[in-house]
Amino acid sequence: MKCAKKILALSFAALLSLTALTGCGGSESKRIVRIGHNQSMEHPTHIALSAFEEFIEENLGDKYDVEVYPSELLGSQTDMVQLTQTGAIDFCVASNAILETFSKNYEIFNLPYLFVNADAYHEVMDNEEITDQLFKSTEKAGFEAVTWLDAGTRNFYTVNKQIESPADLKGLKIRVQQSPTNVEMMRLLGGSATPMGFGEVYTALQSNIIDGAENNELALTDNGHGEVCKYYSYDMHQMVPDILIGNYNFLNELPESDREIFEEGFKLINQVEREEWTSAVEAAKKRAEEEMGVNFFYPDQAPFVEACQPLHESVLAGNPDIVPIYDAIQEVNAKYSE
């Protein structure tokens, strides 16, 4: 099934690439701009991308027709990143974990407990002096980041037991993103990492292939994980942005005046998504509690932080290029530390 889905997605994308310049009704040529992501149509990501679609068509509607494809219609995130590389599609939302395979510098955002709180996280991500060197580090791979999307805090949720300390993870198979950093994080915390694509998680939970996962609150409701997992523990081990990437050639072949409009649109995506995120998390938590019977727990972070500290040291030792970025983040953290 997984293989068939991938073949279908790639075939569909090949067809899309052949029709990228097809105009509406064939009477007037427009550049069709295709954007893929793996979330539902109710998710803040889709709402923000739809705002971008409307903005571009209001300002450049005679030249571009933007189409947004939600819910992995163009394949998994890995598939969509590959399609964006080749130009079969123009943009997609990628997890930081996937981008880490193209540029080791992205592994810094996968470090657990990198930020002291959400305010520090947002200040860092809004600081172009910190993010630009990361966002442009994949140009040779055929794409670059154009904006970031808030994905909240990542926490553990499980089928049969609550997680109140690292000891509670022992013997549990926990889905993590497909990243060496995340696999090592789970090893240090005592659990068994099971990397897999996000679209596979619900079935894996339901069939007991895995015992739990780690993600934000919207995974419980938007993706139905709260139907299976009744224990959600706020250990807050990561604040990892999702990244909107664009095909390098498409971006750099845009006329200067068009590129300016697109850049305004990228800022709009970030603004809308962050506004929607806050209300979406509140609604998701309420629904998960009242309709799905999910129980929320608030364990002491200190044992989790201590267990993960060796990962900071090993990642920095293995990638000296990110040390200046890490130090800049620590300066921001210091402003928010008690």
Side-chain angles (χ1 to χ4, degrees):
M1 178 63 74
K2 180 181 177 182
C3 183
K5 181 179 178 181
K6 182 172 183 178
I7 292 171
L8 179 61
L10 293 173
S11 300
F12 183 38
L15 178 62
L16 295 182
S17 67
L18 293 174
T19 61
L21 295 175
T22 300
C24 297
S27 60
E28 182 180 352
S29 180
K30 289 187 182 183
R31 175 60 160 86
I32 299 177
V33 178
R34 294 186 170 89
I35 309 174
H37 67 91
N38 67 349
Q39 302 291 354
S40 73
M41 295 178 68
E42 292 75 34
H43 193 277
T45 291
H46 186 79
I47 294 170
L49 292 174
S50 296
F52 173 78
E53 175 182 2
E54 183 177 346
F55 176 80
I56 295 298
E57 292 181 355
E58 282 181 353
N59 289 275
L60 298 169
D62 58 329
K63 300 173 69 173
Y64 302 97
D65 180 11
V66 179
E67 298 177 352
V68 181
Y69 293 83
S71 304
E72 294 191 337
L73 288 175
L74 298 182
S76 69
Q77 277 198 351
T78 300
D79 296 332
M80 287 187 284
V81 170
Q82 293 171 350
L83 296 171
T84 304
Q85 279 186 282
T86 63
I89 63 176
D90 304 291
F91 298 93
C92 77
V93 177
S95 71
N96 188 79
I98 292 175
L99 296 183
E100 184 182 333
T101 65
F102 293 93
S103 170
K104 278 194 70 178
N105 289 352
Y106 272 101
E107 70 183 346
I108 192 168
F109 289 136
N110 282 330
L111 285 176
Y113 303 105
L114 177 64
F115 303 103
V116 295
N117 57 32
D119 289 334
Y121 164 50
H122 291 160
E123 181 170 330
V124 167
M125 295 308 303
D126 286 337
N127 187 332
E128 293 182 0
E129 292 184 4
I130 297 176
T131 60
D132 269 6
Q133 54 191 310
L134 289 169
F135 284 5
K136 297 183 183 302
S137 65
T138 56
E139 290 178 353
K140 291 183 179 179
F143 63 87
E144 63 182 80
V146 296
T147 193
W148 68 280
L149 304 171
D150 193 354
T153 61
R154 299 185 74 90
N155 306 284
F156 292 113
Y157 53 93
T158 49
V159 178
N160 294 316
K161 62 182 292 188
Q162 64 210 56
I163 305 300
E164 295 189 346
S165 73
D168 294 323
L169 288 163
K170 186 175 182 180
L172 297 186
K173 294 172 289 186
I174 304 294
R175 179 265 175 177
V176 297
Q177 293 178 299
Q178 294 152 306
S179 152
T181 308
N182 287 322
V183 171
E184 178 62 10
M185 175 187 72
M186 284 307 307
R187 187 189 72 80
L188 291 171
L189 290 173
S192 176
T194 306
M196 66 174 62
F198 187 62
E200 304 171 59
V201 177
Y202 181 88
T203 301
L205 289 167
Q206 194 176 45
S207 58
N208 296 315
I209 293 173
I210 56 177
D211 301 298
E214 49 84 44
N215 212 320
N216 57 62
E217 299 92 335
L218 271 63
L220 299 173
T221 53
D222 254 33
N223 306 98
H225 297 181
E227 296 172 4
V228 186
C229 295
K230 304 304 180 183
Y231 304 93
Y232 191 96
S233 299
Y234 278 104
D235 69 295
M236 302 177 70
H237 53 268
Q238 288 173 318
M239 300 177 193
V240 187
D242 284 333
I243 306 292
L244 180 66
I245 64 170
N247 176 266
Y248 181 79
N249 289 334
F250 171 75
L251 290 167
N252 288 277
E253 289 171 3
L254 284 171
E256 184 176 352
S257 58
D258 292 2
R259 180 66 185 259
E260 290 176 357
I261 298 296
F262 271 79
E263 291 293 341
E264 289 182 38
F266 300 147
K267 292 177 182 177
L268 178 66
I269 291 171
N270 179 272
Q271 175 188 338
V272 171
E273 194 273 343
R274 286 164 72 173
E275 291 172 354
E276 292 289 335
W277 184 263
T278 300
S279 57
V281 167
E282 292 174 358
K285 185 176 179 181
K286 182 178 180 180
R287 182 184 164 202
E289 283 182 310
E290 296 179 359
E291 299 180 20
M292 295 177 158
V294 177
N295 299 287
F296 289 87
F297 302 91
Y298 300 85
D300 179 12
Q301 275 190 339
F304 294 90
V305 174
E306 182 180 357
C308 291
Q309 191 57 41
L311 185 52
H312 287 232
E313 298 165 4
S314 63
V315 166
L316 294 174
N319 188 1
D321 290 343
I322 65 173
V323 172
I325 303 172
Y326 183 86
D327 290 342
I329 292 172
Q330 298 313 310
E331 289 182 12
V332 175
N333 281 337
K335 291 168 56 177
Y336 293 96
S337 298
E338 296 181 356

